[in-house]
Amino acid sequence: MACSLVTPPPTPPFPSWSQLELSADEPNQSPQAPLPPLTHTLHHKETSVLSLAADERWIFSGSQGMHIYVWDRDTFQVDRLLEGHTGSVLCLEVSVERKWLFSASGDSTIRIWSTSTLTPIYVLTPYADYNSGDIFSLTYSPSIKTLFFGCQNTSLQWFDFTPGSKDFIANASKENPHELGQLMPPNYQASRKPHKFFDSEPQPAGRPATSRPSPLITPSTSSKHLPGSASPPWPESPKSDLDPEPKVLAVPPDNWIPSAHHGYIYCIALVYAVDTQPFAVPGSQKTVQLVSGSGDEDVKLWSYTANSSDNTANMQHLHTFHSNSGAVLSILSSHGTIIAGCQDGHVKIWDLETKTLVRTIIAHEGVDILSLSAVDRELYVCSANGCIQRFSCSFDLGGCWKAHSGATLSSIIIPSRKASKLGVDAHSDSLDLVTGASDNKLKVWAVQRPPKRTTGHLQMASNRSDTLQPSTSVKTIHAYDADEITPNDTMIHALSQFTSFPSVSTQSLHAEDCRQAAIWLKKCLTQFGAESQLIYGVEGKNPVVLGNFRGTESKTRKPRILFYGHYDVIASGAASGWDTEPFVLTGLNGYLYGRGVSDNKGPTLAVACAASELLARRALDVDLVMLIEGEEEAGSPDVHSGVDGGAATEPMMDMVKLLAKLSEGSQIAIPAFYDNVRARSKEEDDTFKVLADITGRTPQSFSARWTEPSLSVHSINDSGLGNSTIIPGRVRAKISLRIVPDQDPPTIIDSLSTCVKSIFAGLHSPNSLEIHIDRTADWWIGNLDHPLFKALDRAIEEEWGVKPLRIREGGSIPSIPWLEKEFGCPAVHLPMGQSSDHAHLRNERISLNNLRKGKAVVSRFFEQMSPRAAL
């Protein structure tokens, strides 16, 4: 409800308008860590820093002036210059296990150097010889020993260094077939023919002009003296007659795709799965995936199989992502996502599983994104204006600083060797961000690995009889430490990981956490034996996780059961209000504490584990489809009005005249509101009497809570900013209505709107009123006489040894009645938690016994639904 009022001065202003809503947005604020300190600045000699790579000892920087600078990581001094390219060194990559450095250049060659001796090993020429143009990008796969690179002539090429591969055999030494490459003859020269198109202006977008002072490819030397350099002087290591000459390799004709893109291939990267390991096709250790970005505004996903019998089928195009944001100048893959830096300051993020665009970051409007680096889902974006931006795992801006006076062209993140000098222990969490720019400088920034999500642990707090207090004795149990992992251990271990995701659907701050929770759940269901996938619907909403457990094949038709749940949770509120960490599963006095353990992550995993155990015993005789959504909690109030509304008169009703007139005591004062309410059955009245004898409460209290509609006022907000001397000009109230069988939602909405307007008209106020209906859900009640209910009854009684009570419960699950109508089959609702579990409140918990027995009940239910059980 909204009202607006304009009053003439000097009359004190009155509330000008109020609004009636059903849900509230919570603030989305991401705390920013301090900006990383600059620890060292290194200078190129009058040349831009185009590319970077590093190993444990050296930092390698490729220059626009054809040389590769080798910096000692301990002293930050130049040890030597690697010479040999006759064009700008556009990209570098280190193979740690082979101790190789790959360098690609505007001279249309790739050179391979030893990082141990800093001497040249090979010169690789692309197919199509020097008509390939500049080689802008390369990446090396250590698992299949294959180098991939992208060229200016739009071709994608590769070379397999595995001994015995067809590439090895085609380039084997004539003197020794077990060695790779032909010796470079003395005074070897291979002219690079000027290309009418590639060697003309304008230069490629976002890239500096390549330098080609000489049309020759010359033998490599190990170092070069630069006169006029700062003290100490650049080292000079004259070439020795004993220094090896590089061997010449050529890409075979089968190893290229001539028009992989419709533009220059500026960037290329291996695809990494969710667990940060290079992607590998199941069942094959010789297949990898990679992505390439181009001036045609596209990112392409490729699959490469090593040693394929069909040489032309080695590389397959799987998918094209359209950036629609100009040329794709930088790219990386991290935790199941593909991240692309584009012209005009856009960063595109796609989900690898669903091929869906999940986010567009406008880092700097109109400024090219030239380099990307990431560590543990934290992203560093380097732009042509010299700025670096840091984004969190949820892609919120966590810092921005001016790093260079020129365009930031390259960046890498490596483990730090100087962290101890900054007062930080030299461990894996201390990192260096190295950046290079057109201001001829390299800069080293001390960065910290972002805090890790606590996963795979169950913290067991010491035994206390009253409240949870901070404990000095906390035992951490790893599920894998046990000699034998039981099915229940698997469930608790999985729940500890699932709980660690703050998958709060009502806050955009946690949008990426929700997506990561969905990816994790999809992977978990797969490991449990289901065929699982992610399904995206409305843009900007969280995906649905769909898992399918296929039961044992038989001649008899199997029942198919659909389980509905959700992986999103309500916000935890202030951490100080919890006695444990909200997103760390903690055990105490027989309960598991953590946000979502009761609603709904614990029950979801219990069902999945029950199906998995039956599947392992070949005793799953039903098909189970698990539909787990990520938007169920969107719009939910902190307390379920469906659970607690109607049990007592709410004091907020007296705060506003209009709201007060909507109720009389515990009764709703909307005309004809109760006309269609279904009368209670005798069985329900008998159940209420039994519960009254057990609890000491009145039967009417259960009736009010479970069978009667209710109206709840959730909040009243105003525009007065909390100042007691200011009369606010805007007031907004949020209410909800719980309906019961057989009330009709459209009819109730019309009755509510008419009633509110009538009451407001009776106030004769000059203010204006607006009414907004944000969310609706139909009522649902189960068919107690259906065989499904009876089977569940038997399963509960067999497991617990007592006959269950059939009760009603409030709470909105809009999908249930819709699914019933859509599939034409009944739904049953099995709660595993207790009314004291604090769902949606602080210190949410679930009984460990309830969770385990809940899983056992589900297992018994599946067995009773088996066609064999009916024989």
Side-chain angles (χ1 to χ4, degrees):
M1 180 188 68
C3 309
S4 60
L5 169 69
V6 177
T7 56
T11 306
F14 291 92
S16 62
W17 63 279
S18 61
Q19 186 173 9
L20 184 68
E21 295 185 338
L22 295 181
S23 63
D25 293 330
E26 298 187 31
N28 297 315
Q29 296 181 355
S30 177
Q32 293 193 1
L35 295 179
L38 175 65
T39 62
H40 221 92
T41 300
L42 313 175
H43 292 263
H44 271 198
K45 183 65 176 178
E46 300 177 353
T47 180
S48 297
V49 183
L50 303 185
S51 51
L52 291 167
D55 62 10
E56 291 183 354
R57 184 178 180 186
W58 311 111
I59 294 176
F60 304 97
S61 57
S63 73
Q64 193 171 359
M66 305 177 292
H67 309 123
I68 300 172
Y69 289 62
V70 183
W71 305 86
D72 189 306
R73 293 191 60 190
D74 287 324
T75 65
F76 287 117
Q77 298 280 327
V78 173
D79 184 86
R80 69 192 70 189
L81 301 182
L82 303 183
E83 202 178 28
H85 283 297
T86 59
S88 299
V89 182
L90 300 176
C91 49
L92 295 170
E93 180 155 334
V94 166
S95 169
V96 175
E97 61 282 344
R98 303 199 75 162
K99 297 183 179 180
W100 284 0
L101 169 69
F102 299 93
S103 61
S105 171
D107 62 13
S108 294
T109 68
I110 294 174
R111 290 182 174 248
I112 298 97
W113 315 76
S114 167
T115 58
S116 298
T117 63
L118 299 179
T119 55
I121 305 175
Y122 303 112
V123 174
L124 176 64
T125 59
Y127 184 71
D129 199 29
Y130 302 103
N131 289 324
S132 296
D134 297 356
I135 301 176
F136 285 120
S137 54
L138 61 79
T139 188
Y140 178 74
S141 171
S143 63
I144 59 173
K145 299 179 175 58
T146 300
L147 178 71
F148 304 92
F149 57 96
C151 303
Q152 192 176 14
N153 71 343
T154 75
S155 68
L156 177 62
Q157 305 192 29
W158 57 93
F159 190 92
D160 188 348
F161 288 90
T162 305
S165 69
K166 61 181 180 61
D167 300 358
F168 190 103
I169 294 172
N171 286 270
S173 170
K174 295 179 181 178
E175 293 78 13
N176 185 350
H178 299 291
E179 292 185 0
L180 184 62
Q182 306 298 325
L183 288 175
M184 179 180 287
N187 302 319
Y188 171 80
Q189 295 183 352
S191 61
R192 181 192 188 282
K193 301 175 183 178
H195 195 283
K196 185 183 299 184
F197 179 71
F198 294 145
D199 294 329
S200 63
E201 297 292 340
Q203 292 296 326
R207 299 286 181 174
T210 58
S211 176
R212 301 190 186 95
S214 170
L216 303 178
I217 295 181
T218 61
S220 176
T221 60
S222 59
S223 66
K224 179 182 179 182
H225 172 65
L226 294 183
S229 60
S231 180
W234 300 101
E236 182 175 6
S237 300
K239 176 174 173 58
S240 167
D241 293 336
L242 299 178
D243 286 346
E245 292 291 352
K247 297 179 180 180
V248 180
L249 308 176
V251 172
D254 295 328
N255 288 23
W256 80 319
I257 297 179
S259 297
H261 282 270
H262 298 295
Y264 305 155
I265 301 178
Y266 289 127
C267 46
I268 191 170
L270 291 175
V271 168
Y272 285 83
V274 177
D275 57 1
T276 72
Q277 297 299 316
F279 179 91
V281 173
S284 172
Q285 298 300 316
K286 294 187 176 182
T287 298
V288 297
Q289 289 187 357
L290 58 150
V291 284
S292 57
S294 169
D296 60 8
E297 306 190 19
D298 287 346
V299 171
K300 290 191 176 183
L301 176 65
W302 308 87
S303 175
Y304 173 81
T305 302
N307 292 328
S308 171
S309 58
D310 181 0
N311 292 335
T312 61
N314 279 6
M315 186 74 71
Q316 292 185 345
H317 173 233
L318 300 180
H319 188 78
T320 298
F321 304 91
H322 303 291
S323 75
N324 300 318
S325 296
V328 179
L329 305 176
S330 51
I331 198 166
L332 61 82
S333 172
S334 174
H335 291 83
T337 59
I338 296 171
I339 305 173
C342 307
Q343 284 183 304
D344 298 330
H346 287 206
V347 179
K348 298 286 186 175
I349 298 102
W350 289 279
D351 179 77
L352 181 62
E353 171 71 22
T354 62
K355 312 298 186 294
T356 303
L357 180 68
V358 295
R359 185 69 65 91
T360 296
I361 299 174
I362 303 179
H364 283 289
E365 189 72 47
V367 180
D368 296 351
I369 307 300
L370 301 180
S371 181
L372 299 170
S373 291
V375 55
D376 289 355
R377 298 191 300 274
E378 192 166 73
L379 176 67
Y380 291 83
V381 176
C382 302
S383 303
N385 61 2
C387 288
I388 299 176
Q389 292 172 296
R390 181 180 61 208
F391 291 89
S392 69
C393 63
S394 55
F395 304 117
D396 293 306
L397 181 63
C400 178
W401 69 98
K402 182 74 171 179
H404 292 273
S405 59
T408 308
L409 301 170
S410 53
S411 65
I412 55 173
I413 295 178
I414 54 179
S416 173
R417 285 169 65 93
K418 296 294 183 181
S420 58
K421 293 185 177 181
L422 299 175
V424 181
D425 292 335
H427 55 76
S428 60
D429 285 346
S430 297
L431 307 168
D432 283 339
L433 169 66
V434 186
T435 58
S438 61
D439 59 6
N440 307 342
K441 296 177 182 178
L442 289 81
K443 293 190 177 182
V444 183
W445 312 84
V447 299
Q448 290 293 311
R449 190 181 300 274
K452 293 182 180 179
R453 175 181 289 117
T454 304
T455 60
H457 297 76
L458 168 61
Q459 290 191 351
M460 304 298 293
S462 58
N463 187 21
R464 295 183 291 274
S465 59
D466 46 1
T467 58
L468 287 169
Q469 299 295 332
S471 172
T472 57
S473 175
V474 177
K475 181 182 180 184
T476 302
I477 296 179
H478 297 258
Y480 296 126
D481 288 344
D483 294 332
E484 180 181 355
I485 299 177
T486 68
N488 281 330
D489 291 330
T490 300
M491 178 174 64
I492 303 305
H493 175 66
L495 182 57
S496 70
Q497 293 185 316
F498 203 10
T499 305
S500 70
F501 292 94
S503 48
V504 181
S505 58
T506 57
Q507 296 179 348
S508 60
L509 172 68
H510 293 292
E512 179 62 13
D513 292 309
C514 290
R515 194 178 71 87
Q516 291 297 330
I519 292 173
W520 179 91
L521 181 58
K522 180 258 180 187
K523 183 177 179 181
C524 177
L525 294 180
T526 300
Q527 292 176 332
F528 282 168
E531 300 169 2
S532 56
Q533 59 181 309
L534 298 184
I535 301 175
Y536 276 86
V538 178
E539 184 176 352
K541 298 296 184 180
N542 295 321
V544 169
V545 181
L546 187 66
N548 187 5
F549 289 89
R550 296 187 182 276
T552 305
E553 294 295 333
S554 66
K555 297 180 179 179
T556 307
R557 182 181 178 183
K558 294 173 294 184
R560 175 170 291 178
I561 298 173
L562 174 65
F563 171 84
Y564 166 86
H566 61 91
Y567 61 83
D568 64 321
V569 299
I570 202 72
S572 62
S576 59
W578 283 70
D579 297 317
T580 65
E581 290 293 329
F583 298 105
V584 176
L585 188 66
T586 305
L588 173 67
N589 297 334
Y591 285 88
L592 301 176
Y593 287 81
R595 173 58 85 220
V597 294
S598 181
D599 185 14
N600 181 246
K601 292 181 177 180
T604 296
L605 289 182
V607 172
C609 285
S612 180
E613 292 169 25
L614 290 172
L615 197 65
R617 303 200 317 259
R618 294 178 175 81
L620 183 64
D621 294 325
V622 299
D623 287 338
L624 172 66
V625 178
M626 298 191 70
L627 187 150
I628 318 298
E629 68 154 308
E631 295 285 342
E632 197 278 338
E633 298 290 10
S636 294
D638 287 346
V639 177
H640 266 308
S641 60
V643 174
D644 298 302
T649 302
E650 299 184 11
M652 290 189 70
M653 294 290 190
D654 298 328
M655 296 179 65
V656 179
K657 289 182 180 180
L658 189 152
L659 296 178
K661 291 181 179 294
L662 291 177
S663 67
E664 295 177 359
S666 61
Q667 296 295 300
I668 299 171
I670 298 175
F673 187 78
Y674 293 92
D675 286 358
N676 294 323
V677 173
R678 184 185 301 180
R680 296 189 305 273
S681 66
K682 182 180 181 304
E683 182 182 1
E684 284 182 314
D685 285 337
D686 293 341
T687 298
F688 295 156
K689 291 177 182 178
V690 172
L691 291 172
D693 293 338
I694 296 173
T695 63
R697 297 168 58 181
T698 65
Q700 177 56 30
S701 66
F702 294 106
S703 175
R705 183 167 181 168
W706 291 336
T707 68
E708 297 176 9
S710 67
L711 185 149
S712 300
V713 178
H714 299 289
S715 65
I716 298 177
N717 300 316
D718 61 59
S719 60
L721 302 178
N723 192 323
S724 60
T725 65
I726 295 178
I727 298 177
R730 174 183 300 177
V731 177
R732 177 178 300 172
K734 300 171 184 178
I735 73 169
S736 69
L737 287 168
R738 179 186 68 199
I739 61 174
V740 298
D742 294 294
Q743 290 181 302
D744 177 55
T747 302
I748 296 299
I749 291 173
D750 291 341
S751 299
L752 171 64
S753 300
T754 301
C755 179
V756 169
K757 291 176 182 177
S758 175
I759 295 172
F760 185 74
L763 298 178
H764 304 289
S765 170
N767 302 332
S768 61
L769 169 72
E770 292 181 3
I771 300 174
H772 300 278
I773 307 298
D774 291 340
R775 190 165 176 253
T776 63
D778 207 348
W779 57 268
W780 175 84
I781 190 169
N783 180 0
L784 304 183
D785 295 324
H786 195 277
L788 283 172
F789 261 92
K790 293 180 179 179
L792 192 55
D793 263 350
R794 291 192 300 271
I796 295 172
E797 187 171 1
E798 290 171 1
E799 182 62 33
W800 285 92
V802 294
K803 188 171 181 60
L805 294 174
R806 297 171 173 180
I807 66 170
R808 295 195 197 179
E809 183 64 280
S812 299
I813 310 179
S815 301
I816 296 301
W818 180 85
L819 289 170
E820 268 196 331
K821 294 175 182 177
E822 180 70 17
F823 293 109
C825 59
V828 295
H829 184 201
L830 171 66
M832 293 187 188
Q834 302 170 165
S835 59
S836 58
D837 279 348
H838 302 159
H840 287 210
L841 299 176
R842 293 179 176 90
N843 296 321
E844 181 178 347
R845 66 182 188 176
I846 191 169
S847 164
L848 185 58
N849 189 45
N850 278 19
L851 190 62
R852 288 174 172 169
K853 282 189 172 290
K855 184 189 69 173
V857 167
V858 172
S859 182
R860 290 178 183 272
F861 174 68
F862 289 161
E863 289 178 317
Q864 293 195 21
M865 294 303 298
S866 166
R868 289 183 291 184
L871 298 179

